[in-house]
Amino acid sequence: MILNKSSLEDLQKGFSTAYQGGFAGVQPLRERIATTVRSTTALNKYSWLGEFPGMREWIGPRVIHNISNKTYEITNRTWEETVAVKRDDIEDDQIGIYTPIFQEFGRAVADHPDQLIFDQLVGGFSANCYDGQYFFDSDHPVLNPATGVEASVSNVQTGSGDPWFLLDTTRALKPLIFQERRKANFVSKQSLDDENVFLRNEFIYGADGRWAAGYGFWQMAFGSKATFNADNLRTAYTAMTNFKGDGGRPLGIKPTVLVVGNSNHFAARDVLMASQINGTTNTNQNLVEILHVPRLA
């Protein structure tokens, strides 16, 4: 290949097309459990997470709920991936060997937000949410305004197994938050007078973006490291449906999705998909939808 402005533009278009093809081939799983929030600044503050909305009968003056002073912040982070292509390979018409690499490049960039969200989910056993407690914890404080006393509420099962999660994904705010400041952008440095070409005899291509992950309402999620079986599933499910807000108001939580990794996948299918178990009607059949996430253990 003769390297000139026209051929290099064609090269960039070819690599970009391969990148976009790989990017478009990813079907994100995060959209099932995370709400995407568009960000316009370095970080977003979610003070309103301290108030779970609800109606009351209007008797006397309105009861004004102040936004919580427990500010929960999600700070955007910048991400990048960069690859180098040898100039000699392009001159020798070895473009084809790089096409699959750029397809995988695009796939990796598109998949990264999923990786971030599911890492966040698993990390919920040791990472704080808006109330200052771990997202999955045994002592989330819930206030009774009439007495001023806080009760501790649990959304976790302890154990030593691989984690599984029950989620209510029907609300406007899903259990997790994907905060997007800038979408991924494909860029190149392939002009013959670019420093990288002059010094290292290589063209450089990269992608970068800004985003972050965080937690929504803990009440919409339940995390367990107990053995996955019908009894533990029912215990977790019942706990979520009994969640109440400040003042003892039932929140009407109903789990819809079970997130499992590879180790619990078939156990989940046995419990939730069989019409009968040992000749007895399986009353857990289709209780919730199974979301198998292969990246999880």
Side-chain angles (χ1 to χ4, degrees), residues 16 77 89:
S16 177
R77 302 160 69 185
D89 287 343

Side-chain angles (χ1 to χ4, degrees), residues 17-48:
T17 298
Y19 167 90
Q20 295 297 338
F23 193 99
V26 173
Q27 299 297 319
L29 294 179
R30 70 178 182 279
E31 296 173 355
R32 302 277 297 279
I33 70 168
T35 298
T36 297
V37 175
R38 308 299 177 188
S39 177
T40 58
T41 186
L43 59 85
N44 283 23
K45 295 183 178 181
Y46 297 86
S47 299
W48 47 266

Side-chain angles (χ1 to χ4, degrees), residues 148-186:
V149 176
E150 288 185 342
S152 292
V153 178
S154 174
N155 69 333
V156 68
Q157 276 178 339
T158 59
S160 58
D162 292 323
W164 50 274
F165 310 91
L166 271 181
L167 308 175
D168 183 344
T169 62
T170 63
R171 307 296 179 97
L173 185 70
K174 293 182 173 67
L176 282 92
I177 296 171
F178 175 64
Q179 184 172 286
E180 187 176 63
R181 179 66 177 89
R182 185 178 75 244
K183 292 181 180 295
N185 182 42
F186 183 76

Side-chain angles (χ1 to χ4, degrees), residues 126-140:
S126 58
N128 291 346
C129 63
Y130 73 86
D131 64 0
Q133 302 297 120
Y134 294 155
F135 186 63
F136 299 116
D137 211 337
S138 59
D139 55 352
H140 289 286

Side-chain angles (χ1 to χ4, degrees), residues 80-143:
E80 66 85 20
E81 177 66 14
T82 307
V83 298
V85 175
K86 294 180 180 178
R87 174 181 175 176
D88 293 349
D89 287 343
I90 302 304
E91 287 183 333
D92 294 341
D93 285 330
Q94 298 297 308
I95 299 174
I97 67 174
Y98 287 100
T99 299
I101 294 175
F102 277 88
Q103 290 175 331
E104 287 302 315
F105 184 6
R107 175 176 291 275
V109 174
D111 183 64
H112 182 261
D114 262 26
Q115 176 185 334
L116 205 62
I117 284 295
F118 287 103
D119 284 351
Q120 192 80 17
L121 181 65
V122 174
F125 295 98
S126 58
N128 291 346
C129 63
Y130 73 86
D131 64 0
Q133 302 297 120
Y134 294 155
F135 186 63
F136 299 116
D137 211 337
S138 59
D139 55 352
H140 289 286
V142 177
L143 178 67

